[in-house]
Amino acid sequence: MKTQIAIIGGGPAGLLLSQLLHQSGIDSIVLERKSKDYVLGRIRAGVLEAGSVSVLKEAGVGDRLMAEGQPHEGVELSWHNERLRIDLEALTGQVVTVYGQTEVTRDLYDAAEKRGSRIIEEAEVVRIEGVETDAPIVVYKQNGAEHRVEARFVVGCDGFHGPSREAIPQDAQRSFERTYPFGWLGILSETPPATHELIYATHERGFALCSMRSDKISRYYIQVPETEKAANWTPDQFWEELKRRIPEDVANGLVTEGKVLEMSVAPLRSFVSEPMRHGSLFLAGDAAHIVPPTGAKGLNLAIGDVHYLHQALDLAFNHSKNDGIDSYSDTALDRVWKAERFSWSMTSMMHDFPQLGGFEKRMQKAEFDYLMHSESARRALAENYIGLPF
Ligand code: RFL
Ligand code: PHB
């Protein structure tokens, strides 16, 4: 098979890139290891930055997002029973939109089917050949047989565990990582959300987050030790622990009677691999970087990378200019590091780190107090939360 761009991974990054390239008249093939149903069954992000919404609209997949997505003008932080509302709209003039990653992915699959594009399911990429040449080849396995895709460029949108990053020689790559000694146990339930806005809650028993997908579906998380398994928890135990960590009046109004749709533990990690291009191979999204979920940045960063890469490839294929592809890695990394800083600082301020001494705990509290009393501090948080400009 031949194409202009071979895209590895049919998550949000890969599907969105293929959709944007199609609009620019550039041909692509998406190779996805799992089935479409499996990809749509994964429960992940829930919050879209204003810039992400614009990119999705420009890509022609904004209709359902505009009809069903919930604009959120603010977000809450709590410290035991102290509560602080960050008025995103007043501080920045912008809002975030609550619309699940599952829905974004579904919209992108629907658009791909409509345009009849090539998304090959259950196709596991096993290696990439010739990344330092102008004619790279992606080799994938399907039903036990090997197949090849010849392309001008390859884009690795294959997430943290995919093979693309490994195709960059060790001496041409540098990675930076921080792991955290805890994870988030999440529950998705058919219950009305605890409050209209998200609440990020700090408590001595550990962090908790109240989020949602719609008026009828809630998403909650609690901090657990990194080795914890979801199977060790019943929904009742989860609800009890959540109630202990969130403000009392919210806990008193929490609806817990409803079907539990999913429970799982996600690890927390900060990770960046530099550069995001080597020869004919580009990386985008989780393949190149991971943030802890505290700032709601992972999916949004993936959308940002794809936006830059689409512009760069459009310049190269339609205007014969290579400036965009040459600067892609630096441009994307500049924004990635700022989001890494924000996600790390929110994670550091709000979680219980078992090894922290008294001084560091006072620092966490001082950060919260500073936010309580300084509009400038709240504006800085709001500016990052709604998303730095592309
Ligand atoms: P994905 O979604 O991981 O997709 C990668 C795809 O590549 C496929 N793949 C392969 N395909 C072919 N051959 C191979 N050898 C392959 N190896 C892998 C995989 O099957 C998969 O389909 O990466 P992408 O597209 O870069 O998207 C990134 C986002 O998924 C991720 O950043 C977010 O979900 C992170 N995240 C959040 N981000 C936000 O912006 N806001 C949030 O509120 C938010 N909450 C979250 C999150 C992630 C979570 N988990 C579970 C990690 C909450 C959670 C719990
Ligand atoms: C979610 O709803 O899954 C969610 C929301 C905000 C975050 C992380 C996850 O910061």
Side-chain angles (χ1 to χ4, degrees), residues 3-9 17 21 27-29 31 125 127-139 149-158 163-165 167-168 276-284 309 313 317 325 328:
T3 185
Q4 287 169 300
I5 313 288
I7 299 174
I8 307 174
L17 181 63
L21 290 174
D27 183 59
S28 68
I29 293 180
L31 301 164
V125 171
R127 60 182 187 276
I128 310 165
E129 297 172 357
V131 288
E132 286 163 359
T133 72
D134 288 348
I137 293 170
V138 178
V139 182
V149 177
E150 294 171 31
R152 172 62 195 91
F153 291 110
V154 177
V155 185
C157 297
D158 45 352
S164 301
R165 204 172 54 249
I168 302 179
M276 288 172 61
R277 176 194 178 187
H278 182 77
S280 296
L281 171 67
F282 296 90
L283 301 179
L309 189 54
L313 291 170
F317 281 89
I325 54 175
Y328 165 72

Short mmCIF file of all heavy atoms in Angstrom, two decimals, residues 3-9 17 21 27-29 31 125 127-139 149-158 163-165 167-168 276-284 309 313 317 325 328:
data_model
loop_
_atom_site.label_atom_id
_atom_site.label_comp_id
_atom_site.label_asym_id
_atom_site.label_seq_id
_atom_site.Cartn_x
_atom_site.Cartn_y
_atom_site.Cartn_z
N THR A 3 0.84 5.66 0.51
CA THR A 3 0.11 6.86 0.93
C THR A 3 1.11 7.99 1.11
O THR A 3 2.33 7.75 1.10
CB THR A 3 -0.68 6.60 2.24
OG1 THR A 3 -1.46 7.76 2.55
CG2 THR A 3 0.25 6.31 3.42
N GLN A 4 0.60 9.20 1.32
CA GLN A 4 1.54 10.30 1.60
C GLN A 4 1.97 10.27 3.07
O GLN A 4 3.14 10.39 3.40
CB GLN A 4 0.89 11.64 1.24
CG GLN A 4 0.80 11.83 -0.28
CD GLN A 4 -0.06 13.02 -0.68
OE1 GLN A 4 -1.25 13.08 -0.36
NE2 GLN A 4 0.52 13.97 -1.38
N ILE A 5 0.97 10.11 3.97
CA ILE A 5 1.29 10.10 5.41
C ILE A 5 0.76 8.81 6.04
O ILE A 5 -0.45 8.56 6.04
CB ILE A 5 0.62 11.30 6.14
CG1 ILE A 5 0.82 12.63 5.38
CG2 ILE A 5 1.10 11.38 7.59
CD1 ILE A 5 2.21 13.19 5.40
N ALA A 6 1.66 8.03 6.63
CA ALA A 6 1.23 6.83 7.38
C ALA A 6 1.10 7.25 8.84
O ALA A 6 2.07 7.75 9.43
CB ALA A 6 2.26 5.73 7.23
N ILE A 7 -0.09 7.07 9.39
CA ILE A 7 -0.35 7.48 10.78
C ILE A 7 -0.48 6.23 11.64
O ILE A 7 -1.31 5.37 11.37
CB ILE A 7 -1.64 8.34 10.88
CG1 ILE A 7 -1.50 9.62 10.02
CG2 ILE A 7 -1.95 8.69 12.33
CD1 ILE A 7 -2.78 10.46 9.93
N ILE A 8 0.34 6.14 12.67
CA ILE A 8 0.27 4.97 13.57
C ILE A 8 -0.55 5.37 14.79
O ILE A 8 -0.17 6.29 15.53
CB ILE A 8 1.68 4.52 14.00
CG1 ILE A 8 2.57 4.31 12.76
CG2 ILE A 8 1.59 3.25 14.83
CD1 ILE A 8 4.01 4.00 13.09
N GLY A 9 -1.68 4.69 15.00
CA GLY A 9 -2.54 4.97 16.15
C GLY A 9 -3.82 5.69 15.75
O GLY A 9 -3.79 6.75 15.13
N LEU A 17 -5.62 14.10 12.96
CA LEU A 17 -4.64 14.46 11.94
C LEU A 17 -5.11 13.99 10.57
O LEU A 17 -5.05 14.74 9.58
CB LEU A 17 -3.27 13.84 12.28
CG LEU A 17 -2.17 14.18 11.27
CD1 LEU A 17 -1.90 15.69 11.24
CD2 LEU A 17 -0.88 13.43 11.58
N LEU A 21 -5.74 16.45 7.43
CA LEU A 21 -4.97 16.26 6.19
C LEU A 21 -5.90 16.08 5.00
O LEU A 21 -5.66 16.61 3.92
CB LEU A 21 -4.04 15.04 6.33
CG LEU A 21 -2.86 15.19 7.30
CD1 LEU A 21 -2.11 13.87 7.46
CD2 LEU A 21 -1.90 16.29 6.83
N ASP A 27 -3.28 12.69 1.37
CA ASP A 27 -3.76 11.33 1.62
C ASP A 27 -3.05 10.71 2.83
O ASP A 27 -1.86 10.90 3.03
CB ASP A 27 -3.47 10.49 0.36
CG ASP A 27 -4.00 9.08 0.50
OD1 ASP A 27 -5.22 8.93 0.69
OD2 ASP A 27 -3.19 8.12 0.45
N SER A 28 -3.81 9.96 3.64
CA SER A 28 -3.19 9.28 4.78
C SER A 28 -3.83 7.92 5.01
O SER A 28 -4.95 7.66 4.56
CB SER A 28 -3.32 10.14 6.04
OG SER A 28 -4.67 10.21 6.45
N ILE A 29 -3.11 7.06 5.72
CA ILE A 29 -3.67 5.78 6.18
C ILE A 29 -3.44 5.73 7.69
O ILE A 29 -2.34 6.05 8.16
CB ILE A 29 -2.95 4.58 5.53
CG1 ILE A 29 -3.23 4.53 4.03
CG2 ILE A 29 -3.38 3.27 6.18
CD1 ILE A 29 -2.55 3.38 3.30
N LEU A 31 -3.28 3.33 10.99
CA LEU A 31 -3.16 1.93 11.42
C LEU A 31 -3.43 1.86 12.91
O LEU A 31 -2.72 2.50 13.71
CB LEU A 31 -1.74 1.42 11.13
CG LEU A 31 -1.33 1.48 9.65
CD1 LEU A 31 0.17 1.35 9.50
CD2 LEU A 31 -2.05 0.39 8.87
N VAL A 125 1.29 -2.18 14.37
CA VAL A 125 2.58 -1.82 13.76
C VAL A 125 3.70 -2.49 14.55
O VAL A 125 3.75 -2.39 15.79
CB VAL A 125 2.74 -0.28 13.74
CG1 VAL A 125 4.15 0.11 13.32
CG2 VAL A 125 1.71 0.32 12.80
N ARG A 127 7.18 -2.52 13.19
CA ARG A 127 8.41 -1.74 13.03
C ARG A 127 8.25 -0.68 11.93
O ARG A 127 7.33 -0.75 11.11
CB ARG A 127 9.62 -2.63 12.75
CG ARG A 127 9.55 -3.46 11.55
CD ARG A 127 10.78 -4.37 11.38
NE ARG A 127 10.64 -5.01 10.08
CZ ARG A 127 9.93 -6.10 9.88
NH1 ARG A 127 9.33 -6.71 10.88
NH2 ARG A 127 9.81 -6.60 8.65
N ILE A 128 9.18 0.29 11.99
CA ILE A 128 9.21 1.33 10.96
C ILE A 128 10.61 1.26 10.36
O ILE A 128 11.60 1.29 11.09
CB ILE A 128 8.99 2.73 11.59
CG1 ILE A 128 7.74 2.71 12.49
CG2 ILE A 128 8.84 3.79 10.51
CD1 ILE A 128 7.65 3.91 13.42
N GLU A 129 10.65 1.16 9.03
CA GLU A 129 11.96 1.06 8.37
C GLU A 129 12.27 2.37 7.66
O GLU A 129 11.37 3.05 7.18
CB GLU A 129 11.95 -0.08 7.34
CG GLU A 129 11.73 -1.44 8.00
CD GLU A 129 11.52 -2.57 6.99
OE1 GLU A 129 11.48 -2.30 5.76
OE2 GLU A 129 11.36 -3.72 7.43
N GLY A 130 13.54 2.73 7.59
CA GLY A 130 13.99 3.87 6.79
C GLY A 130 13.53 5.22 7.28
O GLY A 130 13.24 6.10 6.47
N VAL A 131 13.50 5.44 8.61
CA VAL A 131 13.05 6.76 9.10
C VAL A 131 14.03 7.85 8.69
O VAL A 131 13.67 9.03 8.68
CB VAL A 131 12.85 6.81 10.65
CG1 VAL A 131 11.64 6.06 11.09
CG2 VAL A 131 14.07 6.40 11.41
N GLU A 132 15.27 7.49 8.36
CA GLU A 132 16.24 8.52 7.96
C GLU A 132 16.27 8.72 6.44
O GLU A 132 17.13 9.42 5.91
CB GLU A 132 17.63 8.19 8.53
CG GLU A 132 17.66 8.46 10.05
CD GLU A 132 18.79 7.81 10.80
OE1 GLU A 132 19.59 7.10 10.17
OE2 GLU A 132 18.86 8.00 12.02
N THR A 133 15.33 8.09 5.72
CA THR A 133 15.25 8.26 4.27
C THR A 133 13.97 9.02 3.91
O THR A 133 13.14 9.30 4.79
CB THR A 133 15.20 6.90 3.54
OG1 THR A 133 13.90 6.32 3.80
CG2 THR A 133 16.28 5.96 4.05
N ASP A 134 13.79 9.30 2.61
CA ASP A 134 12.57 9.98 2.15
C ASP A 134 11.45 8.99 1.82
O ASP A 134 10.40 9.39 1.31
CB ASP A 134 12.86 10.80 0.88
CG ASP A 134 13.69 12.02 1.22
OD1 ASP A 134 13.81 12.33 2.42
OD2 ASP A 134 14.22 12.66 0.28
N ALA A 135 11.70 7.71 2.07
CA ALA A 135 10.69 6.70 1.72
C ALA A 135 10.55 5.69 2.86
O ALA A 135 10.87 4.52 2.71
CB ALA A 135 11.09 6.01 0.42
N PRO A 136 10.06 6.16 4.03
CA PRO A 136 9.93 5.22 5.16
C PRO A 136 8.83 4.19 4.89
O PRO A 136 7.91 4.44 4.10
CB PRO A 136 9.55 6.14 6.32
CG PRO A 136 8.88 7.32 5.67
CD PRO A 136 9.55 7.50 4.35
N ILE A 137 8.96 3.07 5.56
CA ILE A 137 7.97 1.98 5.41
C ILE A 137 7.50 1.55 6.79
O ILE A 137 8.30 1.33 7.70
CB ILE A 137 8.61 0.78 4.67
CG1 ILE A 137 8.93 1.19 3.22
CG2 ILE A 137 7.69 -0.44 4.70
CD1 ILE A 137 9.76 0.17 2.47
N VAL A 138 6.17 1.44 6.94
CA VAL A 138 5.60 0.98 8.20
C VAL A 138 5.16 -0.47 8.00
O VAL A 138 4.43 -0.79 7.06
CB VAL A 138 4.39 1.85 8.60
CG1 VAL A 138 3.77 1.32 9.89
CG2 VAL A 138 4.81 3.31 8.78
N VAL A 139 5.63 -1.34 8.89
CA VAL A 139 5.27 -2.76 8.79
C VAL A 139 4.28 -3.08 9.90
O VAL A 139 4.54 -2.78 11.07
CB VAL A 139 6.53 -3.65 8.93
CG1 VAL A 139 6.17 -5.12 8.77
CG2 VAL A 139 7.60 -3.23 7.91
N VAL A 149 3.28 -0.47 4.48
CA VAL A 149 2.74 0.78 3.96
C VAL A 149 3.92 1.69 3.62
O VAL A 149 4.75 1.98 4.50
CB VAL A 149 1.83 1.50 5.00
CG1 VAL A 149 1.33 2.83 4.45
CG2 VAL A 149 0.64 0.62 5.38
N GLU A 150 3.99 2.10 2.35
CA GLU A 150 5.04 3.03 1.94
C GLU A 150 4.49 4.44 2.00
O GLU A 150 3.37 4.69 1.56
CB GLU A 150 5.46 2.74 0.49
CG GLU A 150 6.12 1.38 0.32
CD GLU A 150 6.31 1.02 -1.14
OE1 GLU A 150 6.51 1.94 -1.97
OE2 GLU A 150 6.23 -0.18 -1.45
N ALA A 151 5.29 5.36 2.55
CA ALA A 151 4.80 6.73 2.73
C ALA A 151 5.93 7.74 2.52
O ALA A 151 7.10 7.36 2.43
CB ALA A 151 4.22 6.89 4.14
N ARG A 152 5.56 9.02 2.45
CA ARG A 152 6.60 10.06 2.44
C ARG A 152 7.00 10.42 3.88
O ARG A 152 8.14 10.64 4.18
CB ARG A 152 6.08 11.31 1.67
CG ARG A 152 6.99 12.52 1.77
CD ARG A 152 8.38 12.25 1.17
NE ARG A 152 9.36 13.26 1.56
CZ ARG A 152 10.14 13.18 2.64
NH1 ARG A 152 10.04 12.16 3.48
NH2 ARG A 152 11.00 14.13 2.91
N PHE A 153 5.97 10.49 4.77
CA PHE A 153 6.24 10.71 6.19
C PHE A 153 5.44 9.72 7.02
O PHE A 153 4.37 9.26 6.60
CB PHE A 153 5.83 12.13 6.63
CG PHE A 153 6.69 13.22 6.06
CD1 PHE A 153 6.19 14.09 5.10
CD2 PHE A 153 8.01 13.41 6.50
CE1 PHE A 153 6.97 15.11 4.57
CE2 PHE A 153 8.80 14.42 5.98
CZ PHE A 153 8.29 15.27 5.01
N VAL A 154 5.95 9.45 8.23
CA VAL A 154 5.23 8.61 9.20
C VAL A 154 4.96 9.48 10.42
O VAL A 154 5.84 10.23 10.85
CB VAL A 154 6.09 7.40 9.62
CG1 VAL A 154 5.38 6.56 10.69
CG2 VAL A 154 6.43 6.54 8.41
N VAL A 155 3.74 9.39 10.97
CA VAL A 155 3.45 10.13 12.20
C VAL A 155 3.07 9.13 13.29
O VAL A 155 2.12 8.36 13.14
CB VAL A 155 2.32 11.17 12.00
CG1 VAL A 155 2.14 11.98 13.28
CG2 VAL A 155 2.63 12.10 10.83
N GLY A 156 3.82 9.14 14.38
CA GLY A 156 3.53 8.26 15.51
C GLY A 156 2.54 8.94 16.44
O GLY A 156 2.88 9.86 17.17
N CYS A 157 1.29 8.45 16.39
CA CYS A 157 0.24 8.93 17.30
C CYS A 157 -0.18 7.73 18.14
O CYS A 157 -1.37 7.51 18.39
CB CYS A 157 -0.97 9.45 16.52
SG CYS A 157 -0.62 10.86 15.48
N ASP A 158 0.80 6.90 18.52
CA ASP A 158 0.51 5.59 19.10
C ASP A 158 0.63 5.55 20.61
O ASP A 158 0.82 4.48 21.20
CB ASP A 158 1.40 4.51 18.45
CG ASP A 158 2.85 4.94 18.32
OD1 ASP A 158 3.15 6.12 18.60
OD2 ASP A 158 3.69 4.10 17.96
N PRO A 163 5.18 1.86 19.41
CA PRO A 163 6.54 1.60 18.94
C PRO A 163 7.26 2.80 18.28
O PRO A 163 8.47 2.75 18.07
CB PRO A 163 6.33 0.50 17.89
CG PRO A 163 4.94 0.74 17.38
CD PRO A 163 4.15 1.33 18.51
N SER A 164 6.55 3.91 17.98
CA SER A 164 7.17 4.99 17.19
C SER A 164 8.38 5.61 17.87
O SER A 164 9.42 5.82 17.24
CB SER A 164 6.16 6.10 16.94
OG SER A 164 5.07 5.60 16.26
N ARG A 165 8.20 5.94 19.16
CA ARG A 165 9.30 6.63 19.86
C ARG A 165 10.56 5.78 19.83
O ARG A 165 11.67 6.29 19.71
CB ARG A 165 8.86 6.93 21.30
CG ARG A 165 9.60 8.07 21.94
CD ARG A 165 9.01 8.45 23.28
NE ARG A 165 8.90 7.35 24.20
CZ ARG A 165 7.75 6.80 24.61
NH1 ARG A 165 6.61 7.28 24.20
NH2 ARG A 165 7.74 5.80 25.45
N ALA A 167 11.57 4.00 17.53
CA ALA A 167 12.20 3.98 16.20
C ALA A 167 13.23 5.11 16.05
O ALA A 167 13.98 5.15 15.08
CB ALA A 167 11.13 4.10 15.11
N ILE A 168 13.26 6.01 17.02
CA ILE A 168 14.28 7.08 17.00
C ILE A 168 15.54 6.54 17.69
O ILE A 168 15.43 6.03 18.82
CB ILE A 168 13.77 8.35 17.72
CG1 ILE A 168 12.48 8.86 17.05
CG2 ILE A 168 14.85 9.44 17.74
CD1 ILE A 168 11.87 10.08 17.68
N MET A 276 10.64 15.88 18.74
CA MET A 276 9.40 15.24 18.28
C MET A 276 9.44 14.94 16.77
O MET A 276 8.43 14.61 16.17
CB MET A 276 8.19 16.11 18.64
CG MET A 276 7.94 16.07 20.16
SD MET A 276 6.69 17.23 20.75
CE MET A 276 5.22 16.70 19.89
N ARG A 277 10.65 15.10 16.19
CA ARG A 277 10.82 14.67 14.79
C ARG A 277 12.20 14.06 14.64
O ARG A 277 13.18 14.55 15.21
CB ARG A 277 10.73 15.86 13.85
CG ARG A 277 10.99 15.45 12.41
CD ARG A 277 11.25 16.61 11.49
NE ARG A 277 11.55 16.13 10.15
CZ ARG A 277 11.95 16.92 9.15
NH1 ARG A 277 12.08 18.22 9.37
NH2 ARG A 277 12.23 16.42 7.97
N HIS A 278 12.27 12.97 13.89
CA HIS A 278 13.57 12.43 13.49
C HIS A 278 13.43 11.99 12.05
O HIS A 278 12.68 11.05 11.75
CB HIS A 278 13.97 11.26 14.40
CG HIS A 278 15.32 10.72 14.04
ND1 HIS A 278 16.50 11.34 14.41
CD2 HIS A 278 15.68 9.62 13.33
CE1 HIS A 278 17.51 10.65 13.94
NE2 HIS A 278 17.05 9.60 13.27
N GLY A 279 14.13 12.67 11.14
CA GLY A 279 14.05 12.32 9.72
C GLY A 279 12.62 12.41 9.22
O GLY A 279 11.96 13.45 9.32
N SER A 280 12.10 11.29 8.73
CA SER A 280 10.74 11.28 8.17
C SER A 280 9.68 10.87 9.19
O SER A 280 8.54 10.60 8.82
CB SER A 280 10.68 10.29 6.99
OG SER A 280 11.54 10.74 5.97
N LEU A 281 10.08 10.80 10.46
CA LEU A 281 9.13 10.39 11.50
C LEU A 281 8.82 11.56 12.43
O LEU A 281 9.72 12.22 12.94
CB LEU A 281 9.76 9.24 12.33
CG LEU A 281 9.02 8.82 13.60
CD1 LEU A 281 7.67 8.17 13.28
CD2 LEU A 281 9.88 7.84 14.41
N PHE A 282 7.52 11.80 12.65
CA PHE A 282 7.08 12.81 13.62
C PHE A 282 6.35 12.09 14.75
O PHE A 282 5.72 11.05 14.52
CB PHE A 282 6.08 13.78 12.98
CG PHE A 282 6.65 14.61 11.87
CD1 PHE A 282 6.61 14.15 10.55
CD2 PHE A 282 7.24 15.84 12.13
CE1 PHE A 282 7.14 14.91 9.53
CE2 PHE A 282 7.78 16.61 11.11
CZ PHE A 282 7.73 16.15 9.81
N LEU A 283 6.42 12.65 15.95
CA LEU A 283 5.62 12.14 17.07
C LEU A 283 4.58 13.19 17.43
O LEU A 283 4.85 14.40 17.36
CB LEU A 283 6.50 11.88 18.30
CG LEU A 283 7.65 10.89 18.17
CD1 LEU A 283 8.40 10.78 19.50
CD2 LEU A 283 7.17 9.51 17.71
N ALA A 284 3.40 12.73 17.86
CA ALA A 284 2.36 13.66 18.32
C ALA A 284 1.57 13.04 19.47
O ALA A 284 1.37 11.82 19.50
CB ALA A 284 1.41 14.03 17.17
N LEU A 309 1.20 20.22 13.41
CA LEU A 309 1.72 19.29 12.40
C LEU A 309 0.92 19.39 11.10
O LEU A 309 1.49 19.34 10.00
CB LEU A 309 1.71 17.86 12.96
CG LEU A 309 2.42 16.82 12.11
CD1 LEU A 309 3.86 17.22 11.79
CD2 LEU A 309 2.42 15.46 12.83
N LEU A 313 2.55 20.24 7.52
CA LEU A 313 2.45 19.32 6.37
C LEU A 313 1.72 20.00 5.21
O LEU A 313 2.04 19.79 4.04
CB LEU A 313 1.77 18.02 6.78
CG LEU A 313 2.61 17.14 7.74
CD1 LEU A 313 1.78 16.00 8.30
CD2 LEU A 313 3.86 16.60 7.05
N PHE A 317 3.35 20.15 1.56
CA PHE A 317 2.75 19.48 0.40
C PHE A 317 2.08 20.45 -0.57
O PHE A 317 2.10 20.24 -1.77
CB PHE A 317 1.73 18.42 0.85
CG PHE A 317 2.39 17.15 1.31
CD1 PHE A 317 2.77 16.98 2.62
CD2 PHE A 317 2.66 16.12 0.40
CE1 PHE A 317 3.39 15.81 3.04
CE2 PHE A 317 3.28 14.96 0.81
CZ PHE A 317 3.64 14.80 2.14
N ILE A 325 7.70 21.99 8.85
CA ILE A 325 8.12 20.66 9.34
C ILE A 325 9.47 20.76 10.05
O ILE A 325 9.73 20.03 10.99
CB ILE A 325 8.10 19.56 8.25
CG1 ILE A 325 8.91 19.95 7.02
CG2 ILE A 325 6.70 19.20 7.85
CD1 ILE A 325 8.99 18.81 5.99
N TYR A 328 8.60 22.15 13.56
CA TYR A 328 7.51 21.49 14.32
C TYR A 328 7.94 21.08 15.72
O TYR A 328 7.27 21.39 16.71
CB TYR A 328 6.99 20.27 13.53
CG TYR A 328 6.15 19.35 14.39
CD1 TYR A 328 4.86 19.73 14.80
CD2 TYR A 328 6.63 18.11 14.83
CE1 TYR A 328 4.09 18.90 15.61
CE2 TYR A 328 5.87 17.28 15.63
CZ TYR A 328 4.61 17.67 16.02
OH TYR A 328 3.84 16.87 16.83
#
